[in-house]
Amino acid sequence: KGFTDHRILSNYGVILDDLGKLKEAESLYRKAIKVKPDYSEAHYNLGTLLKALGKLKDAEISYLRAIEINPDYADAHCNLGNILRDTGKLKEAEFSYRKAIEIKPDFADAYSNLGNILRDNDKLQEAEVSTRKAIEINPDYAEAHYNLGIILRDIGKLKDAELSYRKAIEIKPNY
């Protein structure tokens, strides 16, 4: 109760968030922000919690604030991209994923998410390249193998698609 350090408040919020105590976690993130309004981690953590609660507009605002404070916050750009994708803003989502990759070139999640957006926009060749890059970075990324399977299926490379699906299941048997 007597915590006044913004990092402790935010980190304790993460612990409570992981324990499923979302209201308490949200309160701690907001206290951390009150103590230090320019603490990008607390804004990011709050955004992640708000997204999990389905409060996408509020989550978007939190991620934007984290990026405003720290423009090179690759995870915030990527998660903002997820919000934008979920709200149908595909061009903006694509930009956010590309920005995350520009900041952190080995960001497998951002490459995979970009691949999904490109697939949604019928840019299948680019989607394949981006998704393969995610797999190159993280060969055990089951979701990326599965997504590559979808892309390859859509291109008409059915044998390769099957191999990607099988690889996803090999990595994550309950996929």
Side-chain angles (χ1 to χ4, degrees):
K1 286 197 174 219
F3 297 135
T4 57
D5 185 287
H6 59 281
R7 293 166 299 213
I8 292 173
L9 290 165
S10 187
N11 289 340
Y12 189 40
V14 171
I15 292 167
L16 291 175
D17 195 344
D18 289 345
L19 292 172
K21 298 181 177 185
L22 303 184
K23 283 191 188 291
E24 294 97 326
E26 181 178 354
S27 175
L28 286 170
Y29 296 146
R30 291 190 187 282
K31 283 179 185 171
I33 290 166
K34 189 173 183 179
V35 169
K36 186 163 173 54
D38 64 345
Y39 186 48
S40 62
E41 284 288 324
H43 289 281
Y44 173 84
N45 291 338
L46 179 59
T48 302
L49 180 134
L50 292 169
K51 182 182 186 309
L53 293 174
K55 298 178 179 179
L56 299 184
K57 186 63 188 161
D58 292 336
E60 180 180 347
I61 291 166
S62 290
Y63 289 134
L64 286 169
R65 182 69 180 119
I67 291 165
E68 180 184 330
I69 295 163
N70 179 2
D72 290 336
Y73 201 157
D75 290 333
H77 283 283
C78 189
N79 282 5
L80 175 61
N82 294 339
I83 298 282
L84 294 168
R85 180 196 62 220
D86 291 349
T87 56
K89 300 173 186 169
L90 300 185
K91 285 269 189 230
E92 293 94 333
E94 180 180 340
F95 176 80
S96 289
Y97 296 137
R98 289 187 188 280
K99 186 65 179 175
I101 291 165
E102 176 187 317
I103 295 164
K104 188 175 169 185
D106 64 344
F107 199 168
D109 286 346
Y111 277 105
S112 182
N113 292 340
L114 176 60
N116 291 336
I117 287 289
L118 293 169
R119 184 189 73 226
D120 291 346
N121 287 325
D122 278 336
K123 297 177 182 176
L124 297 178
Q125 307 306 68
E126 287 180 69
E128 180 182 356
V129 169
S130 187
T131 306
R132 285 189 186 280
K133 182 66 176 177
I135 293 167
E136 176 187 317
I137 294 166
N138 181 1
D140 293 329
Y141 195 167
E143 290 82 2
H145 284 283
Y146 176 78
N147 292 336
L148 180 60
I150 294 170
I151 294 163
L152 293 170
R153 180 202 66 203
D154 291 351
I155 292 172
K157 299 178 180 177
L158 300 182
K159 287 243 186 245
D160 291 337
E162 180 185 353
L163 292 174
S164 289
Y165 292 139
R166 288 184 183 280
K167 184 65 177 178
I169 292 167
E170 176 187 318
I171 295 166
K172 196 173 177 181
N174 61 346
Y175 200 83

